[in-house]
Amino acid sequence: MSRIGGLASGGGGNLEAILAAGLPVAVVVVDRPCRATELAEAAGVPWELVEWGGDRVDFTHRVVDSLENHGVELVAMAGFMRILEKPIFDAFPGRVLNTHPALLPSFRGAHAVEDALAAGVKVTGVTIHVAVAEVDAGPIIAQEAVPVLDGDTADTLHERIKAVEHRLYPDTIKRFMETGR
Ligand code: GRF
């Protein structure tokens, strides 16, 4: 099985789901103090803080170093709120996965849930994809729809999206490790 490197910045819900699924996480890398480090410790997984330094390429190199030091083979971005540059896609070609809270190619970017609500779509969802240098592009490997309900706010809609992510992302990582797709 591949050794997974989890990248997280925030609530850590996706990381928690990946750990709970028993996937082989070798290290958790965070870019700021956040709940993900507590989740890693509770699971007995090492974690590293790679602080943002203002230069994206340099930051990406330091993230890659940290992942490589732990023998990572597959990277799972799990609510990582930094844009990474070419060095990580060179180091792990086709092996950086991401979850996005919308049905790509609709609503790319950091405000996908708000943007879907503002557009008035009746259905949005979750996309698991292979990350590439272009943000929220790259081959789609799984998608699941989530209906937008009357009266939804960004928070209520995002909660339902996250519930789907927490099942679909670990399941998809597992399948990707087994089949490469
Ligand atoms: C997820 O919905 C993810 O797709 C988006 O931000 C949320 C992060 O949640 N980029 P968490 O940190 O995994 O709880």
Side-chain angles (χ1 to χ4, degrees), residues 2-82:
S2 297
R3 289 169 64 82
I4 296 171
L7 305 183
S9 302
N14 281 294
L15 179 72
E16 190 170 20
I18 289 167
L19 291 166
L23 287 165
V25 179
V27 65
V28 171
V29 176
V30 298
D31 67 317
R32 64 196 79 185
C34 62
R35 179 169 168 262
T37 62
E38 293 163 30
L39 295 169
E41 280 178 17
V45 170
W47 59 268
E48 285 194 19
L49 171 64
V50 178
E51 275 176 311
W52 175 246
D55 181 276
R56 254 193 227 160
V57 173
D58 168 69
F59 174 74
T60 303
H61 275 299
R62 289 184 289 116
V63 170
V64 168
D65 287 347
S66 169
L67 295 168
E68 287 181 338
N69 287 341
H70 290 270
V72 165
E73 296 162 292
L74 179 68
V75 181
M77 300 177 75
F80 195 61
M81 300 309 285
R82 296 282 176 199

Side-chain angles (χ1 to χ4, degrees), residues 10-15 78-79 81 99-101 158 162 165:
N14 281 294
L15 179 72
M81 300 309 285
T99 176
H100 184 75
H158 202 173
K162 284 181 183 176
E165 283 186 300

Side-chain angles (χ1 to χ4, degrees), residues 44-152:
V45 170
W47 59 268
E48 285 194 19
L49 171 64
V50 178
E51 275 176 311
W52 175 246
D55 181 276
R56 254 193 227 160
V57 173
D58 168 69
F59 174 74
T60 303
H61 275 299
R62 289 184 289 116
V63 170
V64 168
D65 287 347
S66 169
L67 295 168
E68 287 181 338
N69 287 341
H70 290 270
V72 165
E73 296 162 292
L74 179 68
V75 181
M77 300 177 75
F80 195 61
M81 300 309 285
R82 296 282 176 199
I83 294 172
L84 292 166
E85 289 286 344
K86 195 170 174 290
I88 194 163
F89 306 107
D90 290 344
F92 301 97
R95 288 182 284 120
V96 181
L97 304 185
N98 185 40
T99 176
H100 184 75
L103 295 175
L104 291 173
S106 293
F107 310 119
R108 291 179 174 174
H111 307 288
V113 179
E114 290 84 352
D115 292 349
L117 264 185
V121 294
K122 299 297 182 197
V123 175
T124 183
V126 174
T127 301
I128 315 297
H129 66 104
V130 178
V132 293
E134 187 184 344
V135 176
D136 297 331
I140 291 168
I141 50 177
Q143 281 186 313
E144 192 169 313
V146 174
V148 179
L149 304 179
D150 287 347
D152 255 342

